[in-house]
Amino acid sequence: MSLFDVFNVAGSAMSAQAQRLNTVASNLANADSTTSSTGQPYRAKQVVFSAVPVAGSQASGVKVLEVVEDASPPRMVYDPKNPVADEKGYVAMPNVNVVEEMVNMISASRSYQTNVETMNAAKTMLLKTLTIGQ
C-alpha cells in the first residue's frame, strides 16, 4: 500500500464518520419530539458501514451502506395532559437513548480525529521523503 492509499482510506473513513455524526445529531435533536413528519413518533436511525476496495489498490476503505431505523418500540411516557396522549394517558416518545447517542457521538468524533492524525502523519512522511537527498 502506498502512502497515497492512506489518504484514500482515511478520507473515506472521515466521510463515513461525518455521516454517522449527522445521524447522531438528528437523533439527539428529535429525542423529545412527540411526532415526526409522518405523524408517528420519530425512530432512531443508525448507520451501517461497509468495506469498499480503493481503486487501483489492495487497500479497503469504508462507506455508509445504508441508514436504518431502530426497530425498538417507542418509549411510553405517562402524561395525560399532553394533547397527543392516548386514552390511557400515555404519549409515545421516540426510541432514542440519549446515553447511547452520546457514546456514538464520542466514538465517531474520536474516529474522525484519528483519521485526521493519520492523514497528517502520512503528509509529514511524504514531505520528509521529498527532502531526502538534499
Side-chain angles (χ1 to χ4, degrees):
M1 179 165 56
S2 76
L3 280 177
F4 294 110
D5 290 339
V6 172
F7 291 112
N8 291 331
V9 172
S12 69
M14 289 170 56
S15 176
Q17 293 300 335
Q19 191 164 352
R20 183 177 173 202
L21 279 171
N22 285 337
T23 303
V24 168
S26 175
N27 289 341
L28 288 174
N30 289 296
D32 291 327
S33 61
T34 55
T35 58
S36 66
S37 59
T38 63
Q40 298 295 316
Y42 176 82
R43 292 205 163 268
K45 294 178 177 39
Q46 304 293 330
V47 294
V48 178
F49 292 140
S50 174
V52 292
V54 174
S57 172
Q58 296 177 350
S60 294
V62 64
K63 75 171 190 173
V64 173
L65 187 62
E66 62 181 329
V67 178
V68 296
E69 288 188 349
D70 189 348
S72 62
R75 187 170 35 103
M76 300 304 287
V77 175
Y78 184 70
D79 186 8
K81 293 180 181 178
N82 193 315
V84 295
D86 63 7
E87 64 277 353
K88 294 179 183 174
Y90 285 94
V91 177
M93 299 294 287
N95 58 354
V96 175
N97 184 331
V98 175
V99 175
E100 287 180 10
E101 296 302 325
M102 293 301 289
V103 170
N104 282 338
M105 182 179 69
I106 292 169
S107 172
S109 66
R110 294 287 183 188
S111 178
Y112 190 92
Q113 182 180 16
T114 301
N115 282 295
V116 167
E117 290 174 9
T118 301
M119 289 182 78
N120 283 335
K123 179 181 143 193
T124 302
M125 285 193 287
L126 284 172
L127 290 174
K128 290 282 184 187
T129 303
L130 291 175
T131 61
I132 292 176
Q134 289 184 354

